[in-house]
Amino acid sequence: MAQTDEQSLMHEQLLDRDCTTLSRHVLQQVVKTISSNGSLLSPEAQDISAIMNRLGLAGKLIARRLSRAGLMENALGMTGGVNVQGESVKKMDVFANEVFISVFKQSGLVCRLASEEMDKPYYIPENCPIGRYTLLYDPIDGSSNVDINLNVGSIFSIRQQQGDDLDGEANDLLQDGSKQLAAGYILYGPSTVFVYSVGNGVHSFVLDPSLGEFILAEENITIPEHGPVYSVNEGNFWQWDDSIRDYIRYVHRHEGYTARYSGALVGDFHRILLQGGVFLYPGTVKKPEGKLRLLYETAPLAFLINQAGGRASTGNQDLMKVVPEKLHQRTPLVIGSTEDVQLVESFIQDRNRRTSEGPVAAR
Ligand code: P6P
């Protein structure tokens, strides 16, 4: 039976959507970014698109392993080792870390990789004369969720090498978040979602396993000004500053707030990006600088949230302005809807003010 015009239009639209793959979209975006603010020099536009495509391949390889891990020998559980963070290393952490390294070998794109799982940056010498890019990444964020089949993610940030790094210390990476060319994450959940920005909006893609392609799901994602969710590990309540406790008491006592916390930053962030609200990982007595790492966790997410119209801070400072002193530096994190982040900051500023004014004189 002949298709109606409406049916053929719908099929054409569906086909066009299925053809909006990650690599095609990134190329369109980086061309737009060049024309808007010239943040990417035209010869590098193709590079960023190719790098993003390789990151998509890494995501597919990790998603495939995660989907079968429960049936495979030696895929789950601990390695018995401890990483540079002092955290127990899971077999999936090691696998995912190696995936990112492998997809960039012979790519001619990425010269250095800096990872949560490696004390020092990993160099791919054959790429260095050609590709001046550094990939900073957390290969599996939230790995405590892996063995119980809950969502985990990978977080990435792309920077351009500055200078010749002759001492192999990659000290040129110790710059603020504005030096990021691109950032994003891969969320391994009921579906595998790839979210990225090259400085021209935030865009999400869903992996279509039947095509083996990430297909555009949502363009120019904008976070709501305010949302009901606050996402924090309240088990740390007694380790927080009074200002954070004051904020938590406020949301406990006021209508319209609900707690959601998965133990995996990428999933908690993704919920807030789409529905609004705030994620917090404040400093604690044991970790005054917080737990999350700046260069490959909080700075990439700050890049994204700014592109989505939200806000990210340490509680006291715009997170994109933090200059790290070391590769694995940690920062406190308050990130999400502008109104909700500013509410948290207001409790911190109020406490700072009262502390600076000293004890109230007896009247
Ligand atoms: P806690 C996972 O280990 C992680 O780095 C983030 O993904 C997550 O948000 C946080 O740590 C959870 O830490 O101390 O609440 O278990």
Side-chain angles (χ1 to χ4, degrees), residues 173-190:
L173 294 176
L174 304 183
Q175 298 189 66
D176 68 38
S178 68
K179 298 298 186 295
Q180 297 177 99
L181 295 178
Y185 57 85
I186 305 160
L187 175 59
Y188 310 102

Side-chain angles (χ1 to χ4, degrees), residues 100-291:
F100 281 93
I101 293 171
S102 301
V103 301
F104 283 105
K105 283 182 176 171
Q106 283 87 43
S107 68
L109 292 164
V110 169
C111 169
R112 300 178 302 191
L113 296 94
S115 159
E116 176 184 305
E117 298 303 329
M118 302 188 291
D119 185 10
K120 299 284 186 191
Y122 182 99
Y123 288 76
I124 306 179
E126 64 272 21
N127 286 353
C128 294
I130 315 159
R132 306 276 295 165
Y133 301 98
T134 301
L135 175 70
L136 300 104
Y137 64 109
D138 181 0
I140 290 284
D141 170 75
S143 54
S144 59
N145 282 358
V146 168
D147 294 357
I148 52 172
N149 196 40
L150 293 182
N151 70 272
V152 292
S154 302
I155 308 172
F156 60 84
S157 171
I158 302 168
R159 294 185 182 224
Q160 197 145 40
Q161 180 170 325
Q162 295 180 1
D164 296 328
D165 185 17
L166 297 176
D167 62 5
E169 290 297 320
N171 288 320
D172 61 291
L173 294 176
L174 304 183
Q175 298 189 66
D176 68 38
S178 68
K179 298 298 186 295
Q180 297 177 99
L181 295 178
Y185 57 85
I186 305 160
L187 175 59
Y188 310 102
S191 64
T192 301
V193 175
F194 190 106
V195 177
Y196 86 92
S197 176
V198 289
N200 192 30
V202 177
H203 318 289
S204 72
F205 295 74
V206 174
L207 179 62
D208 180 335
S210 66
L211 288 174
E213 289 283 1
F214 282 102
I215 303 299
L216 180 63
E218 190 171 352
E219 266 192 321
N220 299 314
I221 298 171
T222 304
I223 186 171
E225 280 292 310
H226 163 68
V229 173
Y230 70 99
S231 184
V232 67
N233 182 346
E234 296 199 39
N236 294 328
F237 186 87
W238 294 108
Q239 288 200 50
W240 291 329
D241 288 345
D242 287 337
S243 57
I244 303 297
R245 293 186 207 164
D246 292 344
Y247 167 72
I248 295 297
R249 290 187 188 104
Y250 175 90
V251 294
H252 283 175
R253 293 169 179 157
H254 287 74
E255 281 295 309
Y257 292 97
T258 188
R260 291 285 185 277
Y261 193 75
S262 74
L265 172 58
V266 170
D268 289 330
F269 177 86
H270 192 66
R271 176 192 288 115
I272 283 165
L273 176 67
L274 299 185
Q275 297 175 353
V278 61
F279 175 94
L280 306 88
Y281 206 106
T284 64
V285 170
K286 288 179 190 164
K287 296 190 173 96
E289 283 307 301
K291 175 180 182 182

